[in-house]
Amino acid sequence: MQILHDYPLKSLNTFGIEAYAKEYVQVGDVSELKQILEFNRNKKKLILGGGSNMLLTKNIDALVININLKGIEVVDETTESVIIKCGAGETWHQLVMHCINLGFGGLENLSLIPGNVGTAPIQNIGAYGVELKDVFEKCQTIHTKTGELREFTKGECKFGYRESVFKNELKGEYIITHVFLKLSKHGFHRLHTEYGAIRSKLEEFGKSPSIETISEAVIAIRKEKLPDPKEIGNSGSFFKNPVVSSEQYKKLLEKFPEIPSYPISDSEVKVPAGWLIEKAGFKGKTFGNYGVHKNQALVLVNYGGASGKEIFRLAKIIQATVMRIFGISITPEVNII
């Protein structure tokens, strides 16, 4: 376990941004992590997982700790469900595939989401009608300053739409080491095919809904819409879908009759940010070596050699344009560093 200096982070962030860490270390177990935290208590730190939900706009003048804790195991089981414990350094999609291969349900709609397991609760990742909180049981963490070990229950995590306590009031205070998920066993799966895209893809495949076929459908849909970070630098959806009041949505309908929406409650409506960005004229637009993806307006891309500052500047322009046209504020889902 060696601390490296002026370490390149380009291969460790999915945007492929060239940036350097003043200091860098990778840890493979909790004891190593405790040791690093104890001996570097007063240093500024940045915790790095899969690097899939971040935009680096500068070199990191801090100790970057790359969490590489591995392992997936069943720790409890009933006739209907299992509890699995997963190390924070496991790749999320590999976890999903592992569970599906074992016949465990609940993660199939979350197939092919980039990133590692440890960052999933921070973001409360979600897709196609399912969020992490729907299967989340608890997580184990370590305090960055005291080294205290603490478990967080689902309630204590304060999950919201792409939100959690780790992204807000406890930001930077705890490092997630293990995540526990409650998944269903064969015969007790609750399949989510509410999204038309999933139903259409299953019809195209000529297959009935199951955890395996839903996963296949989601993977196919994501591959059609989203660029592979190994080929084009990106961080998936850059912006959250904004939630507006029903009154504001009615006014928007008068001006934009085709504006889509998803009801949240009697008084609130979610509007797709991708639609707003596309209607604002940004879909497929390039600015030298960066821009907005041609198939999905929610995705900002680095075609190679762009800086984080350039991409962030584009994000600010998109936000201002959407606000000017629609009067709607869209906020980044990605962490700007």
Side-chain angles (χ1 to χ4, degrees):
M1 190 176 55
Q2 181 185 3
I3 291 182
L4 305 172
H5 298 268
D6 298 318
Y7 193 82
L9 300 173
K10 185 176 179 179
S11 65
L12 296 173
N13 72 95
T14 60
F15 255 118
I17 300 295
E18 194 166 310
Y20 291 81
K22 182 181 179 182
E23 295 183 309
Y24 170 89
V25 66
Q26 184 181 86
V27 295
D29 60 48
V30 174
S31 61
E32 283 185 353
L33 180 54
K34 285 192 80 166
Q35 191 179 344
I36 283 292
L37 292 173
E38 185 179 346
F39 292 144
N40 298 274
R41 193 167 289 165
N42 296 321
K43 288 181 181 177
K44 287 192 293 182
K45 302 171 190 70
L46 174 69
I47 310 306
L48 180 65
S52 64
N53 196 48
M54 60 193 290
L55 175 64
L56 298 174
T57 61
K58 58 189 175 184
N59 291 329
I60 307 303
D61 185 23
L63 171 61
V64 173
I65 304 175
N66 189 354
I67 306 300
N68 195 36
L69 282 72
K70 301 291 189 179
I72 305 170
E73 61 178 316
V74 174
V75 293
D76 197 11
E77 188 170 2
T78 69
T79 55
E80 297 182 9
S81 64
V82 295
I83 305 288
I84 63 161
K85 176 185 179 182
C86 187
E90 292 285 352
T91 303
W92 176 262
H93 181 62
Q94 289 177 356
L95 167 67
V96 174
M97 292 296 99
H98 178 76
C99 291
I100 289 173
N101 289 338
L102 292 175
F104 303 153
L107 301 180
E108 53 277 2
N109 293 57
L110 306 179
S111 298
L112 212 61
I113 292 179
N116 286 0
V117 170
T119 51
I122 298 172
Q123 189 73 359
N124 184 26
I125 60 171
Y128 301 103
V130 174
E131 291 182 317
L132 178 77
K133 68 176 177 60
D134 300 328
V135 293
F136 184 89
E137 191 74 7
K138 65 180 180 179
C139 64
Q140 293 175 338
T141 71
I142 183 168
H143 196 277
T144 54
K145 290 199 170 72
T146 67
E148 168 207 3
L149 300 177
R150 177 179 168 184
E151 287 191 348
F152 283 81
T153 63
K154 184 190 293 193
E156 289 171 327
C157 288
K158 298 183 181 177
F159 289 127
Y161 172 56
R162 305 298 174 268
E163 294 286 352
S164 74
V165 71
F166 305 111
K167 205 172 174 181
N168 294 295
E169 56 260 49
L170 296 183
K171 185 175 182 177
E173 288 193 36
Y174 288 90
I175 299 168
I176 294 171
T177 61
H178 295 88
V179 175
F180 293 71
L181 304 175
K182 185 176 183 178
L183 305 177
S184 57
K185 292 171 76 171
H186 182 70
F188 297 94
H189 300 319
R190 292 182 61 219
L191 304 178
H192 293 274
T193 58
E194 302 94 300
Y195 271 73
I198 291 179
R199 291 197 300 271
S200 297
K201 190 59 70 175
L202 289 174
E203 287 174 14
E204 182 186 320
F205 289 165
K207 294 181 177 179
S208 302
S210 68
I211 61 172
E212 293 85 2
T213 59
I214 289 173
S215 176
E216 284 178 40
V218 169
I219 290 169
I221 294 163
R222 290 185 74 90
K223 282 184 173 178
E224 287 168 7
K225 292 172 64 176
L226 303 170
D228 184 344
K230 292 173 187 169
E231 297 172 9
I232 302 173
N234 75 92
S235 197
S237 297
F238 196 93
F239 297 100
K240 299 179 191 177
N241 292 320
V243 175
V244 302
S245 69
S246 300
E247 287 302 312
Q248 184 181 358
Y249 181 68
K250 284 177 188 173
K251 290 176 183 175
L252 285 164
L253 268 178
E254 293 172 9
K255 197 171 181 183
F256 308 98
E258 74 280 22
I259 186 169
S261 68
Y262 306 99
I264 298 293
S265 66
D266 292 340
S267 59
E268 290 183 319
V269 168
K270 187 184 288 184
V271 177
W275 186 90
L276 298 171
I277 296 165
E278 181 175 347
K279 289 300 174 183
F282 287 98
K283 186 177 180 181
K285 229 175 178 185
T286 57
F287 303 82
N289 52 358
Y290 63 98
V292 180
H293 194 251
K294 62 181 181 178
N295 294 338
Q296 175 52 269
L298 265 184
V299 179
L300 306 191
V301 291
N302 173 16
Y303 292 110
S307 70
K309 284 183 178 175
E310 288 174 318
I311 293 169
F312 184 47
R313 195 179 309 128
L314 171 58
K316 300 292 275 184
I317 291 168
I318 290 171
Q319 285 176 298
T321 307
V322 168
M323 174 57 79
R324 177 173 54 79
I325 296 173
F326 300 101
I328 294 178
S329 173
I330 55 172
T331 57
E333 186 175 315
V334 169
N335 293 306
I336 313 296
I337 297 170

